[in-house]
Amino acid sequence: MNPDRLSATTDGYMSEHNNGNSVLRSEEWFGPKDLEGFLHRSGLKAMGYGENEFKGKPVIGIANSWSELTHCNSHLRELAQHVKRGVAAAGGFALEFPTISLGEFFLAPTSMLLRNLMSMDVEEMIRAAPLDGVVLLAGCDKTTPAMMMGALSADVPAIVVTGGPQLKGNWRGQDLGSCTDCRRYWTELRAGRITQEEYDEMEAAIYRSPGYCMVMGTASSMGGIAETIGMSLPGGGSIPGADSRRKTHSEQAGRAIVELVNKGITPSDVVTPESIDNAIRFLLAVGGSTNAIIHLIAIAGRVGIDLPLSHFDDLSKTTPMILNLKPSGEYLMEDLFYAGGVEAILARISPLLNLDALTVTGKTLGENIADATVTNDRVIRTIENPLFSEGGIVALTGSLAPDGAVIKHTAASPELLTHTGRAVVFEDYHDLEARIDSDDLDVTVDDVLVLKNTGPIGGPGMPESGMLPLPKKLLQQGHRDMVRISDARMSGTSFGTVVLHVTPESAVGGPLSLVENGDLISLDTPNGRLDLLVDEAELERRRAAWKAPEPQYSRGYGAMYSEHVLQADGGCDFDFLRGKTPVKLRV
Ligand code: FES
């Protein structure tokens, strides 16, 4: 931006804007009567916009992660039109722009490799473009945290609108939840309990509407977190994608963002230690995705807040899990919406929340949920009658995970939560695929499956490989769970006695890299411990012999990723992206 621009005539913009006493950032582009102002205005006119449509109005970006490579976000172009309606009705001027989009199903090796790239895309587009505020259209797993991270670092007024969850799947009269039931029936297929034809039928029956996975997986967790932390309007975390009220919600977000610009409320006014604690309470009360821990740490890091894993554990001890949704419970997101939605959950746990936290409605969280009621106690339990007396996630530390690991104990087998077993080690995912179903694999159900080299660097991108498949021969014996340990993540829709995010990861020489077949591993979930029962002298011998894997990238984004990505306890953000560089909102 040419500094001379600030002294150029702004042709009445200042007096016409609602605030009257300050100039919008967008006016640096569209106000001055000089060559640059001419070019900027003519660029809008080239798209058919008349001066009366934009002159003196707040310019609202609609950052859209619509993509045909992201089926969960395939309806976001339509929702963008409803956001535009709201922006126009409130006196703003909306311009939609694309961001990269991260779909869980199609991206290899994993969408998580690109989450930080998407956050950079969002941040830098906000910074570079003539925007006074932004509505962030997201949905599929990584798109919501990436949008939030980018908007927090740019720190212009921002509202998250997700595409909402899908309707329930249904196959032969049974409700199906993606992808909890894809995995459950895949296991049954491998065990020979259902036919390939039956499994094929489910393909069309499970995903039947726009939106994200309709269990309390990562996308649902992040949608609820966006609402709880105060960056979405009420209803944002639970209205189904196919429900007409999702369109109304989008229109309301369009109105609200103009108000937010007028009030000068930015994301860092909303995302504070208090609202982050609210988000953690929500995550724990709903038995949400372990991935959300990583995303929350990264989100907090963008506003300079350190969020140690132990803090999740501390809050977990006093947060009952009250939501009865798959994968930890029985119901699906559509049922949650009918039961009162995210607001009703928050109302139930309100004694645990910081109700004074500011939200994008311009009101407090307490004001937003003042009228919320629960209409189905089977879906949303009471604090006095929870599914579990503590939160859904336990942080572990110990000699196998000095910097932490996590287990979603509510989705695990209770009898395995305290277990000591013999390690059966796979060096990476290819090794796992090659040997897991081999008749020669020396394994019993009392063993502990260990997968190495699936962390942030080793994966690369920390893929969702953590729910290791059970060996076929154990499935055929009727077993459905055993202890599994890795430095990977797992899908929020997954389940089982699965220890994840072992940190430091094996690819950087963490203790996981030293585990050998036959070593004893002790999991003590009630006491938050994960230990490798091998004496220190032997470990030292193995450490001296250990060789780091060859780097997977020599250039490009992958090389930058490998050099700068933080471990899971740093939210897998890039070291240079933590913090914010706020965009100047007014001149
Ligand atoms: Fe997009 Fe599950 S595949 S949320």
Side-chain angles (χ1 to χ4, degrees):
M1 179 65 56
N2 177 355
D4 293 342
R5 300 285 314 283
L6 301 183
S7 58
T9 309
T10 55
D11 190 30
Y13 271 75
M14 196 184 286
S15 59
E16 288 183 18
H17 179 60
N18 294 350
N19 273 316
N21 59 357
S22 59
V23 181
L24 288 167
R25 176 175 182 251
S26 58
E27 291 171 22
E28 291 189 44
W29 279 260
F30 301 120
K33 285 293 189 184
D34 60 8
L35 175 60
E36 285 191 51
F38 172 96
L39 292 172
H40 298 153
R41 285 186 298 275
S42 65
L44 294 180
K45 288 172 183 174
M47 293 186 285
Y49 293 113
E51 195 135 334
N52 60 326
E53 287 184 87
F54 62 83
K55 185 175 178 181
K57 295 181 178 179
V59 178
I60 305 301
I62 302 175
N64 199 339
S65 59
W66 169 89
S67 167
E68 286 184 337
L69 290 172
T70 307
H71 69 274
C72 305
N73 296 10
S74 62
H75 57 316
L76 295 187
R77 280 206 294 200
E78 186 188 357
L79 292 187
Q81 298 309 311
H82 297 288
V83 174
K84 278 190 180 178
R85 279 201 295 132
V87 171
F93 174 61
L95 290 170
E96 183 184 354
F97 64 97
T99 67
I100 62 167
S101 185
L102 308 178
E104 285 307 291
F105 281 10
F106 300 141
L107 296 182
T110 165
S111 61
M112 186 64 180
L113 185 70
L114 303 176
R115 183 203 61 180
N116 298 345
L117 179 64
M118 183 172 175
S119 82
M120 292 165 76
D121 175 1
V122 172
E123 177 182 348
E124 297 309 328
M125 280 304 293
I126 292 172
R127 189 179 308 288
L131 303 178
D132 301 302
V134 64
V135 174
L136 308 162
L137 291 185
C140 196
D141 284 19
K142 308 303 176 297
T143 57
T144 302
M147 289 269 193
M148 291 173 72
M149 290 158 67
L152 276 165
S153 286
D155 208 24
V156 304
I159 294 181
V160 174
V161 174
T162 72
Q166 296 159 7
L167 300 174
K168 297 188 252 194
N170 191 286
W171 176 69
R172 298 188 182 183
Q174 318 173 29
D175 286 344
L176 291 182
S178 63
C179 216
T180 304
D181 289 314
C182 327
R183 297 177 208 287
R184 187 160 64 88
Y185 282 108
W186 169 243
T187 301
E188 296 307 316
L189 179 67
R190 292 177 64 235
R193 298 283 185 84
I194 63 167
T195 65
Q196 184 66 52
E197 289 69 31
E198 288 172 317
Y199 196 58
D200 290 348
E201 267 183 44
M202 292 181 208
E203 279 183 13
I206 195 162
Y207 301 106
R208 62 189 188 90
S209 62
Y212 48 73
C213 291
M214 67 301 230
V215 300
M216 188 44 76
T218 305
S220 298
S221 298
M222 292 310 302
I225 282 171
E227 182 176 339
T228 306
I229 213 166
M231 285 195 67
S232 286
L233 298 183
S238 44
I239 303 169
D243 194 296
S244 55
R245 284 162 282 191
R246 178 62 54 183
K247 297 173 185 169
T248 312
H249 173 83
S250 303
E251 194 271 348
Q252 288 167 345
R255 290 175 183 267
I257 188 65
V258 177
E259 274 305 297
L260 221 51
V261 170
N262 289 336
K263 289 177 179 163
I265 296 173
T266 67
S268 64
D269 296 321
V270 170
V271 178
T272 62
E274 291 73 27
S275 68
I276 289 171
D277 276 4
N278 289 341
I280 296 173
R281 292 281 192 191
F282 168 83
L283 179 68
L284 295 165
V286 301
S289 167
T290 47
N291 290 323
I293 296 175
I294 292 177
H295 298 320
L296 268 171
I297 292 170
I299 286 167
R302 295 301 183 101
V303 285
I305 298 169
D306 284 328
L307 202 49
L309 204 50
S310 59
H311 191 59
F312 289 84
D313 216 31
D314 292 344
L315 296 186
S316 186
K317 292 187 173 73
T318 53
T319 309
M321 185 188 142
I322 62 167
L323 186 66
N324 189 7
L325 249 62
K326 291 182 180 184
S328 298
E330 301 169 70
Y331 294 98
L332 295 166
M333 286 296 288
E334 194 179 338
D335 302 305
L336 169 61
F337 178 56
Y338 303 142
V342 168
E343 304 100 287
I345 297 169
L346 298 178
R348 278 271 156 93
I349 61 168
S350 59
L352 304 173
L353 299 176
N354 299 303
L355 296 174
D356 292 337
L358 181 66
T359 74
V360 291
T361 61
K363 299 178 183 167
T364 65
L365 184 67
E367 289 172 313
N368 287 352
I369 64 171
D371 298 328
T373 51
V374 175
T375 59
N376 187 337
D377 284 335
R378 293 188 307 280
V379 177
I380 306 174
R381 300 269 195 98
T382 60
I383 283 188
E384 296 75 29
N385 180 33
L387 261 80
F388 296 92
S389 57
E390 295 188 5
I393 295 164
V394 174
L396 305 168
T397 54
S399 58
L400 187 51
D403 295 335
V406 299
I407 183 169
K408 188 170 181 174
H409 66 118
T410 52
S413 302
E415 68 277 12
L416 289 174
L417 290 173
T418 303
H419 182 83
T420 298
R422 198 182 58 131
V424 176
V425 178
F426 300 92
E427 289 301 319
D428 57 28
Y429 197 75
H430 301 296
D431 184 28
L432 175 82
E433 276 192 322
R435 294 194 295 120
I436 190 70
D437 286 341
S438 164
D439 290 338
D440 297 334
L441 186 68
D442 178 14
V443 65
T444 75
V445 76
D446 295 324
D447 292 336
V448 173
L449 300 182
V450 174
L451 177 62
K452 298 180 183 178
N453 291 310
T454 49
I457 292 172
M462 208 177 178
E464 292 184 334
S465 311
M467 183 185 170
L468 278 65
L470 257 64
K472 201 169 191 170
K473 63 183 177 187
L474 297 184
L475 288 175
Q476 287 168 343
Q477 289 165 17
H479 301 295
R480 290 293 181 271
D481 197 11
M482 63 192 296
V483 177
R484 290 159 270 177
I485 297 174
S486 73
D487 43 13
R489 297 174 301 118
M490 76 172 179
S491 165
T493 64
S494 298
F495 50 87
T497 311
V498 178
V499 176
L500 304 155
H501 310 180
V502 170
T503 306
E505 65 172 303
S506 51
V508 298
L512 188 68
S513 68
L514 309 179
V515 181
E516 295 184 357
N517 282 321
D519 290 348
L520 287 181
I521 292 177
S522 166
L523 169 65
D524 181 358
T525 309
N527 291 305
R529 296 288 307 180
L530 182 68
D531 290 293
L532 177 59
L533 306 182
V534 175
D535 68 57
E536 190 47 45
E538 171 62 13
L539 288 178
E540 197 45 54
R541 186 191 66 74
R542 294 181 192 178
R543 205 171 283 123
W546 181 79
K547 285 193 176 54
E550 287 294 310
Q552 304 196 50
Y553 300 99
S554 60
R555 62 163 298 281
Y557 174 75
M560 181 178 79
Y561 172 93
S562 302
E563 188 178 337
H564 293 285
V565 72
L566 299 169
Q567 292 285 292
D569 59 342
C572 299
D573 205 354
F574 291 157
D575 49 11
F576 63 86
L577 287 177
R578 281 175 63 84
K580 60 190 167 84
T581 313
V583 169
K584 197 167 67 168
L585 287 176
R586 295 187 183 278
V587 296

